[in-house]
C-alpha cells in the first residue's frame, strides 16, 4: 500500500502515517488550536434527599446557575456544554457534564464555579476524563465527515462513553498492518448510519489513551455495532474499554430533577 493515493485533481491523500514515532521524519510539533474535552461524572449522596423540598429546590437552582455561568465566555473560547442523566443506567454515577473548550484551563474554571455551590457538598466525582480532538491517522484525511479538528457533539438522545486503551503489541505492528485492521473495523461499522463516533485522544494528559463517545438515537443499533466489532481483528488488541456509560441527554434542570 502506498502512503499517498492520488485523487481527482492530482492532490495526494494520506491514509496512514508511515512514521508514527517520528524517528525518520523528525516532524515539527503541531501547534494548531484543538478542542479539549472533559467528561465529568458526578454521584449524589442520599443525604441530599433528606433535606426539605424547598431547600433542595433552592440548592438545585444555585447549582444550575453555576453550570450555565461557565458558558458566559467570549465566542473564541469555543466553550460547549452537553448535559446527561445516568439515573437508572449506572449505579455509581448520576449525571455527566460534557464540556468542550480550546483551553484545558477552562475545565478548572468550570469546576471552581461548581465548588462554590452547596450541592457540591453532597456530590462526589467517581470519574473525570480529559482528552483532545485530532484527526484520525487511519481515516481518509481529505474526504468524509467527522475527522476534522472540530466536532459537533450531543446531537442524539443517547451518548455511550468509555475510556479505551490499546495493548502494547498494537504499537509494535507495522503501520500497514494496523491500517488493514482499521479498514476492516471501519467497513464493519459502515452499515450503522444512526451512530456518530467521537474519538478523542488522552496520551499524556489522562490515564487512558482514548475516550470514545458514540452519539445516537438508537441504543439497539449501538448494541449490534459493538457486538459486530468484537469479531474484527483490531479488537484482539484492546486492553481495556470499561467502564461503559449509557448517558441520556437532558438539560441541566431535567438532570437535577432526576436527583430528587
Amino acid at each position: 500500500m502506498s502512503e499517498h493515493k492520488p485523487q481527482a485533481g492530482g492532490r495526494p491523500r494520506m491514509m496512514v502515517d508511515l512514521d508514527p514515532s517520528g524517528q525518520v521524519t523528525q516532524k515539527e510539533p503541531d501547534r494548531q488550536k484543538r478542542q479539549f474535552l472533559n467528561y465529568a461524572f458526578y454521584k449524589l449522596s442520599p443525604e441530599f434527599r433528606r433535606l426539605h423540598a424547598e431547600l433542595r429546590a433552592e440548592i438545585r437552582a444555585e447549582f444550575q446557575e453555576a453550570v450555565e455561568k461557565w458558558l458566559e465566555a467570549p465566542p473564541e473560547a469555543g466553550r460547549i456544554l452537553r448535559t446527561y442523566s445516568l439515573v437508572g443506567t449506572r449505579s455509581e454515577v448520576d449525571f455527566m457534564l460534557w464540556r468542550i473548550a480550546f483551553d484545558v484551563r477552562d475545565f478548572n474554571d468550570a469546576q471552581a464555579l461548581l465548588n462554590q455551590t452547596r450541592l457540591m457538598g453532597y456530590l462526589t466525582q467517581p470519574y473525570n476524563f480529559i482528552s483532545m480532538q485530532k484527526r484520525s491517522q487511519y481515516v481518509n484525511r481529505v474526504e468524509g465527515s467527522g475527522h476534522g479538528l472540530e466536532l459537533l457533539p450531543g446531537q442524539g438522545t443517547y451518548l455511550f462513553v468509555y475510556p479505551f486503551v490499546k495493548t502494547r503489541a498494537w504499537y509494535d505492528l507495522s503501520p500497514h498492518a494496523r491500517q488493514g485492521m482499521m479498514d476492516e473495523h471501519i467497513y464493519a461499522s459502515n452499515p450503522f448510519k444512526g451512530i456518530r463516533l467521537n474519538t478523542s485522544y488522552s496520551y499524556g494528559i489522562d490515564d487512558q489513551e482514548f475516550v470514545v463517545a458514540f452519539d445516537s438515537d438508537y441504543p439497539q443499533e449501538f448494541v449490534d455495532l459493538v457486538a459486530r466489532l468484537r469479531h474484527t481483528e483490531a479488537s484482539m488488541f484492546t486492553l481495556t474499554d470499561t467502564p461503559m456509560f449509557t448517558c441520556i441527554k437532558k438539560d441541566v434542570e431535567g438532570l437535577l430533577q432526576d436527583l430528587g
Side-chain angles (χ1 to χ4, degrees), residues 55-110:
L55 180 56
R56 292 201 310 272
E58 181 184 322
I59 291 174
R60 286 195 302 264
E62 177 190 58
F63 189 82
Q64 179 176 347
E65 182 180 355
V67 170
E68 295 171 348
K69 184 176 178 59
W70 182 73
L71 293 172
E72 298 173 7
E76 56 268 23
R79 292 183 179 181
I80 299 171
L81 175 68
R82 299 290 184 266
T83 55
Y84 297 85
S85 177
L86 288 93
V87 171
T89 67
R90 189 87 194 184
S91 63
E92 76 273 43
V93 291
D94 287 317
F95 66 93
M96 188 268 284
L97 305 180
W98 186 10
R99 308 180 183 111
I100 300 172
F102 287 121
D103 191 334
V104 72
R105 293 173 295 184
D106 287 5
F107 306 144
N108 175 258
D109 295 342

Side-chain angles (χ1 to χ4, degrees), residues 14-27:
M14 181 173 290
M15 296 298 292
V16 65
D17 187 347
L18 295 181
D19 181 35
S21 67
Q23 295 179 67
V24 177
T25 56
Q26 289 294 296
K27 298 170 193 168

Side-chain angles (χ1 to χ4, degrees), residues 20 33-34 42 83 87 124 200 225 236 249:
K33 185 163 65 172
R34 303 183 194 174
Y42 298 86
T83 55
V87 171
T124 56
S200 51
L225 169 61
M236 300 293 292
K249 185 167 70 174

Side-chain angles (χ1 to χ4, degrees), residues 28-47:
E28 292 296 319
D30 183 355
R31 301 283 174 83
Q32 64 184 313
K33 185 163 65 172
R34 303 183 194 174
Q35 288 173 308
F36 288 91
L37 297 87
N38 175 214
Y39 299 84
F41 294 86
Y42 298 86
K43 176 66 177 177
L44 182 72
S45 168
E47 279 111 13

